[in-house]
Amino acid sequence: HTTREMIVSVSSALSFGAALFCAALALAVLFRKPLTIASGSFSAGMLLFAFESAFTGISLEAVSAEKVAFWQTLAFLTKCFLPGTWLCFSLTYSRGNYREFLARSRYLLIAAFLLPLLLLLAFPAPLLEVFLSVQGWWLQFGPAAKALNVFILISNVLILMNLEWTFRSAVGTMRWRIKFLILGLAVVFVARIYVPSQDLLFSGHSLALAGLRTGALLIGCTLMVVAYFRSDFGDVDVYPSRAALHTSITVVVV
């Protein structure tokens, strides 16, 4: 019992630490760099990560199923706003012709922001229920959460594909300037592809699995800090070619 409490305390502390890390990065970019679509969506995305991690940290310290369900529901609702925000970033970061990509993907972006809200309205049942199991708190997802997990999984794959597309289109010094930021985000979104896939397989997951997202977020933020001090998140003008996606590593891995 004491060992489990220690693990919970450490996990909660890491979640709060990740929240502070994300918030600091969001503010650093917001106040240091000129406000653009890419910098604004990055800051918004990191703040959403911060809120999600904070809600997760509070839920880890909760002592009743009702409180765990409440805070995890808030974390899940926060997560629903991530796809549109990060998809916008992945379409605009370091792309000289980002307006072309935004215009071409405008319906996809609208869907990324509106579809989660429509799914929440379509399924009025609770997003999740919480049960106590041998492994600790178990989150059982309802129909809306299952549908949203499918949407979030597909969105995270698209986000990672766009980041890969940008990175593979850069060469020489341009690739050197953007690689740590993209690598940091890749670590974060690989974990966020794995966790929803588990949710779909088992219609839920143990609350302990949240530690995987937290760990990936801490590693990703560390790499992003390196990028910040190394090149100040320097943007470059990359013009991605469609041919670069024909052998997408992201698609192969997923």
Side-chain angles (χ1 to χ4, degrees), residues 53-104:
S53 293
F55 293 146
T56 299
I58 297 172
S59 69
L60 286 167
E61 294 186 340
V63 294
S64 68
E66 292 77 14
K67 289 184 178 180
V68 174
F70 175 76
W71 290 109
Q72 277 296 309
T73 298
L74 287 181
F76 198 96
L77 290 174
T78 303
K79 188 164 57 177
C80 291
F81 293 97
L82 288 168
T85 304
W86 283 107
L87 188 60
C88 183
F89 173 81
S90 69
L91 288 168
T92 56
Y93 175 66
S94 289
R95 293 188 176 185
N97 54 343
Y98 72 87
R99 290 182 178 83
E100 175 187 339
F101 285 99
L102 286 177
R104 189 185 302 162

mmCIF file of all heavy atoms in Angstrom, residues 53-104:
data_model
loop_
_atom_site.group_PDB
_atom_site.id
_atom_site.type_symbol
_atom_site.label_atom_id
_atom_site.label_comp_id
_atom_site.label_asym_id
_atom_site.label_seq_id
_atom_site.Cartn_x
_atom_site.Cartn_y
_atom_site.Cartn_z
ATOM 1 N N SER A 53 -2.241 17.749 -18.505
ATOM 2 C CA SER A 53 -1.340 17.144 -17.523
ATOM 3 C C SER A 53 -1.729 17.520 -16.104
ATOM 4 O O SER A 53 -1.644 16.695 -15.185
ATOM 5 C CB SER A 53 0.107 17.571 -17.802
ATOM 6 O OG SER A 53 0.566 17.032 -19.014
ATOM 7 N N ALA A 54 -2.150 18.777 -15.914
ATOM 8 C CA ALA A 54 -2.566 19.214 -14.580
ATOM 9 C C ALA A 54 -3.799 18.445 -14.116
ATOM 10 O O ALA A 54 -3.880 17.985 -12.969
ATOM 11 C CB ALA A 54 -2.836 20.715 -14.578
ATOM 12 N N PHE A 55 -4.784 18.293 -15.005
ATOM 13 C CA PHE A 55 -5.988 17.535 -14.654
ATOM 14 C C PHE A 55 -5.644 16.076 -14.347
ATOM 15 O O PHE A 55 -6.213 15.475 -13.426
ATOM 16 C CB PHE A 55 -7.007 17.597 -15.793
ATOM 17 C CG PHE A 55 -7.586 18.972 -16.015
ATOM 18 C CD1 PHE A 55 -7.919 19.412 -17.292
ATOM 19 C CD2 PHE A 55 -7.796 19.836 -14.950
ATOM 20 C CE1 PHE A 55 -8.459 20.665 -17.504
ATOM 21 C CE2 PHE A 55 -8.340 21.105 -15.142
ATOM 22 C CZ PHE A 55 -8.666 21.525 -16.421
ATOM 23 N N THR A 56 -4.709 15.518 -15.113
ATOM 24 C CA THR A 56 -4.286 14.140 -14.866
ATOM 25 C C THR A 56 -3.607 14.019 -13.511
ATOM 26 O O THR A 56 -3.846 13.067 -12.756
ATOM 27 C CB THR A 56 -3.328 13.665 -15.974
ATOM 28 O OG1 THR A 56 -3.999 13.711 -17.236
ATOM 29 C CG2 THR A 56 -2.845 12.247 -15.712
ATOM 30 N N GLY A 57 -2.757 15.001 -13.190
ATOM 31 C CA GLY A 57 -2.084 14.982 -11.893
ATOM 32 C C GLY A 57 -3.060 15.034 -10.731
ATOM 33 O O GLY A 57 -2.901 14.321 -9.731
ATOM 34 N N ILE A 58 -4.095 15.867 -10.864
ATOM 35 C CA ILE A 58 -5.112 15.950 -9.803
ATOM 36 C C ILE A 58 -5.874 14.639 -9.680
ATOM 37 O O ILE A 58 -6.156 14.164 -8.580
ATOM 38 C CB ILE A 58 -6.082 17.114 -10.089
ATOM 39 C CG1 ILE A 58 -5.335 18.450 -10.064
ATOM 40 C CG2 ILE A 58 -7.203 17.140 -9.052
ATOM 41 C CD1 ILE A 58 -6.162 19.628 -10.517
ATOM 42 N N SER A 59 -6.191 14.022 -10.837
ATOM 43 C CA SER A 59 -6.949 12.766 -10.802
ATOM 44 C C SER A 59 -6.126 11.643 -10.163
ATOM 45 O O SER A 59 -6.695 10.746 -9.522
ATOM 46 C CB SER A 59 -7.378 12.361 -12.218
ATOM 47 O OG SER A 59 -6.270 11.973 -13.001
ATOM 48 N N LEU A 60 -4.824 11.678 -10.326
ATOM 49 C CA LEU A 60 -3.972 10.651 -9.720
ATOM 50 C C LEU A 60 -4.003 10.717 -8.197
ATOM 51 O O LEU A 60 -3.811 9.708 -7.513
ATOM 52 C CB LEU A 60 -2.531 10.802 -10.219
ATOM 53 C CG LEU A 60 -2.269 10.345 -11.659
ATOM 54 C CD1 LEU A 60 -0.906 10.835 -12.132
ATOM 55 C CD2 LEU A 60 -2.338 8.827 -11.754
ATOM 56 N N GLU A 61 -4.246 11.902 -7.661
ATOM 57 C CA GLU A 61 -4.289 12.067 -6.212
ATOM 58 C C GLU A 61 -5.702 11.888 -5.643
ATOM 59 O O GLU A 61 -5.887 11.906 -4.422
ATOM 60 C CB GLU A 61 -3.760 13.449 -5.829
ATOM 61 C CG GLU A 61 -2.273 13.632 -6.134
ATOM 62 C CD GLU A 61 -1.738 14.956 -5.619
ATOM 63 O OE1 GLU A 61 -2.565 15.865 -5.373
ATOM 64 O OE2 GLU A 61 -0.516 15.078 -5.468
ATOM 65 N N ALA A 62 -6.694 11.732 -6.518
ATOM 66 C CA ALA A 62 -8.076 11.579 -6.056
ATOM 67 C C ALA A 62 -8.252 10.243 -5.334
ATOM 68 O O ALA A 62 -7.597 9.245 -5.663
ATOM 69 C CB ALA A 62 -9.036 11.661 -7.230
ATOM 70 N N VAL A 63 -9.143 10.233 -4.359
ATOM 71 C CA VAL A 63 -9.326 9.035 -3.524
ATOM 72 C C VAL A 63 -10.663 8.344 -3.794
ATOM 73 O O VAL A 63 -10.941 7.301 -3.195
ATOM 74 C CB VAL A 63 -9.227 9.397 -2.023
ATOM 75 C CG1 VAL A 63 -7.824 9.856 -1.688
ATOM 76 C CG2 VAL A 63 -10.254 10.482 -1.661
ATOM 77 N N SER A 64 -11.496 8.899 -4.663
ATOM 78 C CA SER A 64 -12.776 8.275 -4.971
ATOM 79 C C SER A 64 -12.950 8.180 -6.479
ATOM 80 O O SER A 64 -12.378 8.960 -7.245
ATOM 81 C CB SER A 64 -13.932 9.079 -4.364
ATOM 82 O OG SER A 64 -14.062 10.333 -5.008
ATOM 83 N N ALA A 65 -13.755 7.206 -6.895
ATOM 84 C CA ALA A 65 -13.991 6.995 -8.320
ATOM 85 C C ALA A 65 -14.656 8.210 -8.957
ATOM 86 O O ALA A 65 -14.366 8.562 -10.105
ATOM 87 C CB ALA A 65 -14.857 5.758 -8.516
ATOM 88 N N GLU A 66 -15.552 8.865 -8.198
ATOM 89 C CA GLU A 66 -16.263 10.034 -8.735
ATOM 90 C C GLU A 66 -15.296 11.170 -9.051
ATOM 91 O O GLU A 66 -15.403 11.815 -10.093
ATOM 92 C CB GLU A 66 -17.324 10.523 -7.740
ATOM 93 C CG GLU A 66 -18.495 9.570 -7.550
ATOM 94 C CD GLU A 66 -18.141 8.375 -6.671
ATOM 95 O OE1 GLU A 66 -17.074 8.414 -6.000
ATOM 96 O OE2 GLU A 66 -18.928 7.407 -6.653
ATOM 97 N N LYS A 67 -14.339 11.402 -8.153
ATOM 98 C CA LYS A 67 -13.378 12.478 -8.382
ATOM 99 C C LYS A 67 -12.412 12.136 -9.516
ATOM 100 O O LYS A 67 -12.057 13.007 -10.323
ATOM 101 C CB LYS A 67 -12.606 12.763 -7.095
ATOM 102 C CG LYS A 67 -13.452 13.434 -6.016
ATOM 103 C CD LYS A 67 -12.622 13.789 -4.803
ATOM 104 C CE LYS A 67 -13.471 14.509 -3.757
ATOM 105 N NZ LYS A 67 -12.682 14.867 -2.548
ATOM 106 N N VAL A 68 -11.992 10.869 -9.588
ATOM 107 C CA VAL A 68 -11.134 10.453 -10.700
ATOM 108 C C VAL A 68 -11.865 10.663 -12.023
ATOM 109 O O VAL A 68 -11.303 11.189 -12.989
ATOM 110 C CB VAL A 68 -10.707 8.975 -10.546
ATOM 111 C CG1 VAL A 68 -9.946 8.511 -11.791
ATOM 112 C CG2 VAL A 68 -9.839 8.784 -9.314
ATOM 113 N N ALA A 69 -13.144 10.250 -12.063
ATOM 114 C CA ALA A 69 -13.939 10.400 -13.285
ATOM 115 C C ALA A 69 -14.087 11.872 -13.664
ATOM 116 O O ALA A 69 -13.997 12.230 -14.846
ATOM 117 C CB ALA A 69 -15.310 9.760 -13.097
ATOM 118 N N PHE A 70 -14.304 12.728 -12.673
ATOM 119 C CA PHE A 70 -14.483 14.161 -12.944
ATOM 120 C C PHE A 70 -13.228 14.763 -13.578
ATOM 121 O O PHE A 70 -13.301 15.411 -14.625
ATOM 122 C CB PHE A 70 -14.815 14.889 -11.643
ATOM 123 C CG PHE A 70 -14.906 16.387 -11.795
ATOM 124 C CD1 PHE A 70 -16.006 16.982 -12.374
ATOM 125 C CD2 PHE A 70 -13.858 17.201 -11.357
ATOM 126 C CE1 PHE A 70 -16.081 18.366 -12.523
ATOM 127 C CE2 PHE A 70 -13.924 18.577 -11.505
ATOM 128 C CZ PHE A 70 -15.035 19.161 -12.089
ATOM 129 N N TRP A 71 -12.074 14.546 -12.957
ATOM 130 C CA TRP A 71 -10.841 15.161 -13.456
ATOM 131 C C TRP A 71 -10.368 14.520 -14.753
ATOM 132 O O TRP A 71 -9.825 15.201 -15.635
ATOM 133 C CB TRP A 71 -9.749 15.098 -12.393
ATOM 134 C CG TRP A 71 -10.038 16.001 -11.239
ATOM 135 C CD1 TRP A 71 -10.400 15.634 -9.972
ATOM 136 C CD2 TRP A 71 -10.039 17.439 -11.242
ATOM 137 N NE1 TRP A 71 -10.623 16.741 -9.191
ATOM 138 C CE2 TRP A 71 -10.414 17.855 -9.937
ATOM 139 C CE3 TRP A 71 -9.770 18.396 -12.205
ATOM 140 C CZ2 TRP A 71 -10.505 19.205 -9.591
ATOM 141 C CZ3 TRP A 71 -9.869 19.738 -11.858
ATOM 142 C CH2 TRP A 71 -10.236 20.124 -10.571
ATOM 143 N N GLN A 72 -10.593 13.216 -14.913
ATOM 144 C CA GLN A 72 -10.221 12.570 -16.170
ATOM 145 C C GLN A 72 -11.138 12.994 -17.309
ATOM 146 O O GLN A 72 -10.712 13.058 -18.460
ATOM 147 C CB GLN A 72 -10.246 11.048 -16.001
ATOM 148 C CG GLN A 72 -8.985 10.476 -15.388
ATOM 149 C CD GLN A 72 -7.770 10.676 -16.270
ATOM 150 O OE1 GLN A 72 -7.765 10.363 -17.454
ATOM 151 N NE2 GLN A 72 -6.708 11.234 -15.683
ATOM 152 N N THR A 73 -12.388 13.275 -16.989
ATOM 153 C CA THR A 73 -13.297 13.802 -18.013
ATOM 154 C C THR A 73 -12.821 15.171 -18.489
ATOM 155 O O THR A 73 -12.827 15.466 -19.696
ATOM 156 C CB THR A 73 -14.732 13.906 -17.470
ATOM 157 O OG1 THR A 73 -15.202 12.601 -17.111
ATOM 158 C CG2 THR A 73 -15.672 14.505 -18.509
ATOM 159 N N LEU A 74 -12.390 16.022 -17.552
ATOM 160 C CA LEU A 74 -11.848 17.329 -17.942
ATOM 161 C C LEU A 74 -10.589 17.166 -18.794
ATOM 162 O O LEU A 74 -10.397 17.894 -19.777
ATOM 163 C CB LEU A 74 -11.524 18.157 -16.693
ATOM 164 C CG LEU A 74 -12.714 18.732 -15.919
ATOM 165 C CD1 LEU A 74 -12.224 19.554 -14.731
ATOM 166 C CD2 LEU A 74 -13.597 19.599 -16.816
ATOM 167 N N ALA A 75 -9.733 16.211 -18.420
ATOM 168 C CA ALA A 75 -8.520 15.952 -19.207
ATOM 169 C C ALA A 75 -8.886 15.490 -20.608
ATOM 170 O O ALA A 75 -8.268 15.911 -21.603
ATOM 171 C CB ALA A 75 -7.653 14.909 -18.507
ATOM 172 N N PHE A 76 -9.898 14.641 -20.707
ATOM 173 C CA PHE A 76 -10.319 14.121 -22.017
ATOM 174 C C PHE A 76 -10.916 15.239 -22.864
ATOM 175 O O PHE A 76 -10.652 15.334 -24.072
ATOM 176 C CB PHE A 76 -11.324 12.993 -21.836
ATOM 177 C CG PHE A 76 -11.482 12.125 -23.048
ATOM 178 C CD1 PHE A 76 -10.775 10.944 -23.168
ATOM 179 C CD2 PHE A 76 -12.319 12.497 -24.089
ATOM 180 C CE1 PHE A 76 -10.904 10.146 -24.300
ATOM 181 C CE2 PHE A 76 -12.460 11.717 -25.216
ATOM 182 C CZ PHE A 76 -11.749 10.523 -25.322
ATOM 183 N N LEU A 77 -11.731 16.087 -22.253
ATOM 184 C CA LEU A 77 -12.324 17.204 -22.989
ATOM 185 C C LEU A 77 -11.235 18.156 -23.493
ATOM 186 O O LEU A 77 -11.317 18.680 -24.606
ATOM 187 C CB LEU A 77 -13.317 17.951 -22.099
ATOM 188 C CG LEU A 77 -14.608 17.201 -21.762
ATOM 189 C CD1 LEU A 77 -15.434 17.988 -20.750
ATOM 190 C CD2 LEU A 77 -15.428 16.939 -23.022
ATOM 191 N N THR A 78 -10.223 18.387 -22.672
ATOM 192 C CA THR A 78 -9.095 19.223 -23.099
ATOM 193 C C THR A 78 -8.392 18.605 -24.297
ATOM 194 O O THR A 78 -8.011 19.293 -25.249
ATOM 195 C CB THR A 78 -8.098 19.400 -21.944
ATOM 196 O OG1 THR A 78 -8.773 19.962 -20.820
ATOM 197 C CG2 THR A 78 -6.944 20.314 -22.350
ATOM 198 N N LYS A 79 -8.245 17.281 -24.243
ATOM 199 C CA LYS A 79 -7.562 16.567 -25.321
ATOM 200 C C LYS A 79 -8.296 16.686 -26.652
ATOM 201 O O LYS A 79 -7.691 16.596 -27.720
ATOM 202 C CB LYS A 79 -7.423 15.096 -24.909
ATOM 203 C CG LYS A 79 -6.585 14.252 -25.826
ATOM 204 C CD LYS A 79 -6.183 12.943 -25.160
ATOM 205 C CE LYS A 79 -7.386 12.160 -24.701
ATOM 206 N NZ LYS A 79 -6.989 10.856 -24.106
ATOM 207 N N CYS A 80 -9.608 16.905 -26.602
ATOM 208 C CA CYS A 80 -10.399 17.015 -27.828
ATOM 209 C C CYS A 80 -10.039 18.257 -28.645
ATOM 210 O O CYS A 80 -10.308 18.312 -29.847
ATOM 211 C CB CYS A 80 -11.886 17.047 -27.489
ATOM 212 S SG CYS A 80 -12.527 15.489 -26.853
ATOM 213 N N PHE A 81 -9.454 19.274 -28.004
ATOM 214 C CA PHE A 81 -9.078 20.497 -28.713
ATOM 215 C C PHE A 81 -7.656 20.418 -29.283
ATOM 216 O O PHE A 81 -7.231 21.324 -29.999
ATOM 217 C CB PHE A 81 -9.180 21.702 -27.782
ATOM 218 C CG PHE A 81 -10.588 22.021 -27.361
ATOM 219 C CD1 PHE A 81 -11.094 21.572 -26.150
ATOM 220 C CD2 PHE A 81 -11.424 22.750 -28.191
ATOM 221 C CE1 PHE A 81 -12.389 21.857 -25.763
ATOM 222 C CE2 PHE A 81 -12.730 23.043 -27.811
ATOM 223 C CZ PHE A 81 -13.219 22.588 -26.600
ATOM 224 N N LEU A 82 -6.935 19.359 -28.953
ATOM 225 C CA LEU A 82 -5.558 19.231 -29.418
ATOM 226 C C LEU A 82 -5.437 18.964 -30.924
ATOM 227 O O LEU A 82 -4.562 19.554 -31.571
ATOM 228 C CB LEU A 82 -4.835 18.127 -28.638
ATOM 229 C CG LEU A 82 -4.498 18.449 -27.182
ATOM 230 C CD1 LEU A 82 -4.053 17.186 -26.441
ATOM 231 C CD2 LEU A 82 -3.400 19.509 -27.107
ATOM 232 N N PRO A 83 -6.246 18.074 -31.515
ATOM 233 C CA PRO A 83 -6.048 17.757 -32.936
ATOM 234 C C PRO A 83 -6.070 18.969 -33.857
ATOM 235 O O PRO A 83 -5.167 19.147 -34.686
ATOM 236 C CB PRO A 83 -7.201 16.787 -33.235
ATOM 237 C CG PRO A 83 -7.487 16.135 -31.934
ATOM 238 C CD PRO A 83 -7.294 17.215 -30.916
ATOM 239 N N GLY A 84 -7.096 19.823 -33.739
ATOM 240 C CA GLY A 84 -7.176 20.985 -34.619
ATOM 241 C C GLY A 84 -6.025 21.945 -34.422
ATOM 242 O O GLY A 84 -5.454 22.466 -35.395
ATOM 243 N N THR A 85 -5.639 22.159 -33.159
ATOM 244 C CA THR A 85 -4.559 23.102 -32.850
ATOM 245 C C THR A 85 -3.231 22.631 -33.416
ATOM 246 O O THR A 85 -2.509 23.384 -34.083
ATOM 247 C CB THR A 85 -4.435 23.274 -31.328
ATOM 248 O OG1 THR A 85 -5.706 23.680 -30.799
ATOM 249 C CG2 THR A 85 -3.394 24.324 -30.987
ATOM 250 N N TRP A 86 -2.899 21.359 -33.165
ATOM 251 C CA TRP A 86 -1.603 20.857 -33.623
ATOM 252 C C TRP A 86 -1.588 20.563 -35.117
ATOM 253 O O TRP A 86 -0.537 20.621 -35.758
ATOM 254 C CB TRP A 86 -1.199 19.621 -32.824
ATOM 255 C CG TRP A 86 -0.699 19.992 -31.471
ATOM 256 C CD1 TRP A 86 -1.324 19.815 -30.278
ATOM 257 C CD2 TRP A 86 0.549 20.650 -31.174
ATOM 258 N NE1 TRP A 86 -0.550 20.318 -29.254
ATOM 259 C CE2 TRP A 86 0.598 20.827 -29.773
ATOM 260 C CE3 TRP A 86 1.608 21.104 -31.943
ATOM 261 C CZ2 TRP A 86 1.683 21.441 -29.140
ATOM 262 C CZ3 TRP A 86 2.691 21.712 -31.319
ATOM 263 C CH2 TRP A 86 2.715 21.869 -29.938
ATOM 264 N N LEU A 87 -2.750 20.241 -35.694
ATOM 265 C CA LEU A 87 -2.800 20.075 -37.148
ATOM 266 C C LEU A 87 -2.517 21.406 -37.831
ATOM 267 O O LEU A 87 -1.799 21.460 -38.844
ATOM 268 C CB LEU A 87 -4.174 19.539 -37.561
ATOM 269 C CG LEU A 87 -4.324 19.124 -39.022
ATOM 270 C CD1 LEU A 87 -3.338 18.019 -39.381
ATOM 271 C CD2 LEU A 87 -5.749 18.660 -39.298
ATOM 272 N N CYS A 88 -3.053 22.490 -37.267
ATOM 273 C CA CYS A 88 -2.774 23.828 -37.795
ATOM 274 C C CYS A 88 -1.281 24.130 -37.711
ATOM 275 O O CYS A 88 -0.687 24.648 -38.664
ATOM 276 C CB CYS A 88 -3.585 24.859 -37.016
ATOM 277 S SG CYS A 88 -3.408 26.548 -37.624
ATOM 278 N N PHE A 89 -0.657 23.791 -36.588
ATOM 279 C CA PHE A 89 0.787 24.012 -36.444
ATOM 280 C C PHE A 89 1.564 23.190 -37.469
ATOM 281 O O PHE A 89 2.486 23.697 -38.124
ATOM 282 C CB PHE A 89 1.236 23.643 -35.036
ATOM 283 C CG PHE A 89 2.730 23.675 -34.852
ATOM 284 C CD1 PHE A 89 3.388 24.874 -34.635
ATOM 285 C CD2 PHE A 89 3.475 22.508 -34.910
ATOM 286 C CE1 PHE A 89 4.776 24.916 -34.484
ATOM 287 C CE2 PHE A 89 4.857 22.539 -34.763
ATOM 288 C CZ PHE A 89 5.504 23.746 -34.552
ATOM 289 N N SER A 90 1.214 21.912 -37.605
ATOM 290 C CA SER A 90 1.980 21.031 -38.501
ATOM 291 C C SER A 90 1.861 21.452 -39.959
ATOM 292 O O SER A 90 2.747 21.153 -40.768
ATOM 293 C CB SER A 90 1.509 19.583 -38.334
ATOM 294 O OG SER A 90 0.205 19.393 -38.836
ATOM 295 N N LEU A 91 0.787 22.154 -40.312
ATOM 296 C CA LEU A 91 0.604 22.617 -41.685
ATOM 297 C C LEU A 91 1.315 23.930 -41.971
ATOM 298 O O LEU A 91 1.504 24.300 -43.137
ATOM 299 C CB LEU A 91 -0.891 22.793 -41.981
ATOM 300 C CG LEU A 91 -1.717 21.511 -42.138
ATOM 301 C CD1 LEU A 91 -3.205 21.839 -42.121
ATOM 302 C CD2 LEU A 91 -1.349 20.779 -43.431
ATOM 303 N N THR A 92 1.703 24.649 -40.921
ATOM 304 C CA THR A 92 2.266 25.987 -41.112
ATOM 305 C C THR A 92 3.715 26.115 -40.667
ATOM 306 O O THR A 92 4.426 27.008 -41.153
ATOM 307 C CB THR A 92 1.433 27.030 -40.347
ATOM 308 O OG1 THR A 92 1.361 26.666 -38.960
ATOM 309 C CG2 THR A 92 0.021 27.105 -40.908
ATOM 310 N N TYR A 93 4.187 25.259 -39.769
ATOM 311 C CA TYR A 93 5.533 25.433 -39.220
ATOM 312 C C TYR A 93 6.594 25.237 -40.296
ATOM 313 O O TYR A 93 6.650 24.210 -40.964
ATOM 314 C CB TYR A 93 5.779 24.452 -38.075
ATOM 315 C CG TYR A 93 7.200 24.503 -37.551
ATOM 316 C CD1 TYR A 93 7.685 25.642 -36.915
ATOM 317 C CD2 TYR A 93 8.055 23.425 -37.723
ATOM 318 C CE1 TYR A 93 8.981 25.706 -36.440
ATOM 319 C CE2 TYR A 93 9.358 23.472 -37.241
ATOM 320 C CZ TYR A 93 9.820 24.618 -36.617
ATOM 321 O OH TYR A 93 11.118 24.677 -36.159
ATOM 322 N N SER A 94 7.431 26.258 -40.460
ATOM 323 C CA SER A 94 8.582 26.235 -41.369
ATOM 324 C C SER A 94 8.210 25.936 -42.818
ATOM 325 O O SER A 94 9.009 25.364 -43.557
ATOM 326 C CB SER A 94 9.625 25.218 -40.880
ATOM 327 O OG SER A 94 10.265 25.686 -39.718
ATOM 328 N N ARG A 95 7.006 26.300 -43.218
ATOM 329 C CA ARG A 95 6.604 26.105 -44.606
ATOM 330 C C ARG A 95 6.439 27.460 -45.285
ATOM 331 O O ARG A 95 5.612 28.269 -44.882
ATOM 332 C CB ARG A 95 5.299 25.318 -44.691
ATOM 333 C CG ARG A 95 5.461 23.879 -44.219
ATOM 334 C CD ARG A 95 4.221 23.048 -44.479
ATOM 335 N NE ARG A 95 4.441 21.662 -44.092
ATOM 336 C CZ ARG A 95 3.568 20.680 -44.288
ATOM 337 N NH1 ARG A 95 2.403 20.955 -44.875
ATOM 338 N NH2 ARG A 95 3.829 19.453 -43.908
ATOM 339 N N GLY A 96 7.265 27.685 -46.293
ATOM 340 C CA GLY A 96 7.215 28.960 -46.987
ATOM 341 C C GLY A 96 5.892 29.190 -47.688
ATOM 342 O O GLY A 96 5.463 30.330 -47.863
ATOM 343 N N ASN A 97 5.235 28.107 -48.095
ATOM 344 C CA ASN A 97 3.947 28.204 -48.795
ATOM 345 C C ASN A 97 2.814 27.699 -47.900
ATOM 346 O O ASN A 97 1.903 27.008 -48.363
ATOM 347 C CB ASN A 97 3.989 27.408 -50.101
ATOM 348 C CG ASN A 97 4.414 25.961 -49.886
ATOM 349 O OD1 ASN A 97 4.976 25.600 -48.848
ATOM 350 N ND2 ASN A 97 4.147 25.118 -50.863
ATOM 351 N N TYR A 98 2.873 28.070 -46.607
ATOM 352 C CA TYR A 98 1.891 27.538 -45.663
ATOM 353 C C TYR A 98 0.463 27.975 -45.998
ATOM 354 O O TYR A 98 -0.497 27.252 -45.695
ATOM 355 C CB TYR A 98 2.245 27.939 -44.234
ATOM 356 C CG TYR A 98 2.039 29.396 -43.898
ATOM 357 C CD1 TYR A 98 0.807 29.863 -43.446
ATOM 358 C CD2 TYR A 98 3.085 30.314 -44.031
ATOM 359 C CE1 TYR A 98 0.618 31.193 -43.134
ATOM 360 C CE2 TYR A 98 2.894 31.645 -43.726
ATOM 361 C CZ TYR A 98 1.671 32.082 -43.279
ATOM 362 O OH TYR A 98 1.481 33.398 -42.982
ATOM 363 N N ARG A 99 0.302 29.149 -46.620
ATOM 364 C CA ARG A 99 -1.051 29.605 -46.979
ATOM 365 C C ARG A 99 -1.705 28.644 -47.972
ATOM 366 O O ARG A 99 -2.924 28.397 -47.919
ATOM 367 C CB ARG A 99 -1.012 31.020 -47.560
ATOM 368 C CG ARG A 99 -0.681 32.099 -46.543
ATOM 369 C CD ARG A 99 -0.714 33.481 -47.156
ATOM 370 N NE ARG A 99 -0.444 34.519 -46.178
ATOM 371 C CZ ARG A 99 0.775 34.888 -45.808
ATOM 372 N NH1 ARG A 99 1.846 34.300 -46.369
ATOM 373 N NH2 ARG A 99 0.952 35.837 -44.900
ATOM 374 N N GLU A 100 -0.892 28.090 -48.846
ATOM 375 C CA GLU A 100 -1.408 27.106 -49.807
ATOM 376 C C GLU A 100 -1.898 25.853 -49.083
ATOM 377 O O GLU A 100 -2.961 25.312 -49.407
ATOM 378 C CB GLU A 100 -0.291 26.753 -50.804
ATOM 379 C CG GLU A 100 -0.676 25.651 -51.781
ATOM 380 C CD GLU A 100 0.518 25.222 -52.632
ATOM 381 O OE1 GLU A 100 1.484 26.007 -52.757
ATOM 382 O OE2 GLU A 100 0.480 24.083 -53.144
ATOM 383 N N PHE A 101 -1.138 25.403 -48.087
ATOM 384 C CA PHE A 101 -1.538 24.209 -47.343
ATOM 385 C C PHE A 101 -2.781 24.475 -46.497
ATOM 386 O O PHE A 101 -3.638 23.606 -46.357
ATOM 387 C CB PHE A 101 -0.383 23.733 -46.459
ATOM 388 C CG PHE A 101 0.716 23.060 -47.219
ATOM 389 C CD1 PHE A 101 1.872 23.750 -47.554
ATOM 390 C CD2 PHE A 101 0.593 21.738 -47.613
ATOM 391 C CE1 PHE A 101 2.882 23.134 -48.260
ATOM 392 C CE2 PHE A 101 1.602 21.106 -48.323
ATOM 393 C CZ PHE A 101 2.748 21.808 -48.656
ATOM 394 N N LEU A 102 -2.865 25.667 -45.918
ATOM 395 C CA LEU A 102 -4.044 26.005 -45.129
ATOM 396 C C LEU A 102 -5.291 26.048 -46.010
ATOM 397 O O LEU A 102 -6.363 25.572 -45.616
ATOM 398 C CB LEU A 102 -3.851 27.352 -44.431
ATOM 399 C CG LEU A 102 -2.901 27.377 -43.238
ATOM 400 C CD1 LEU A 102 -2.762 28.799 -42.701
ATOM 401 C CD2 LEU A 102 -3.380 26.443 -42.126
ATOM 402 N N ALA A 103 -5.151 26.639 -47.189
ATOM 403 C CA ALA A 103 -6.293 26.717 -48.102
ATOM 404 C C ALA A 103 -6.718 25.331 -48.566
ATOM 405 O O ALA A 103 -7.917 25.016 -48.636
ATOM 406 C CB ALA A 103 -5.942 27.597 -49.300
ATOM 407 N N ARG A 104 -5.730 24.500 -48.865
ATOM 408 C CA ARG A 104 -6.033 23.157 -49.356
ATOM 409 C C ARG A 104 -6.643 22.279 -48.261
ATOM 410 O O ARG A 104 -7.445 21.389 -48.544
ATOM 411 C CB ARG A 104 -4.738 22.514 -49.881
ATOM 412 C CG ARG A 104 -4.941 21.194 -50.611
ATOM 413 C CD ARG A 104 -3.595 20.596 -50.965
ATOM 414 N NE ARG A 104 -2.799 21.504 -51.782
ATOM 415 C CZ ARG A 104 -1.485 21.408 -51.943
ATOM 416 N NH1 ARG A 104 -0.804 20.477 -51.290
ATOM 417 N NH2 ARG A 104 -0.841 22.255 -52.712
#
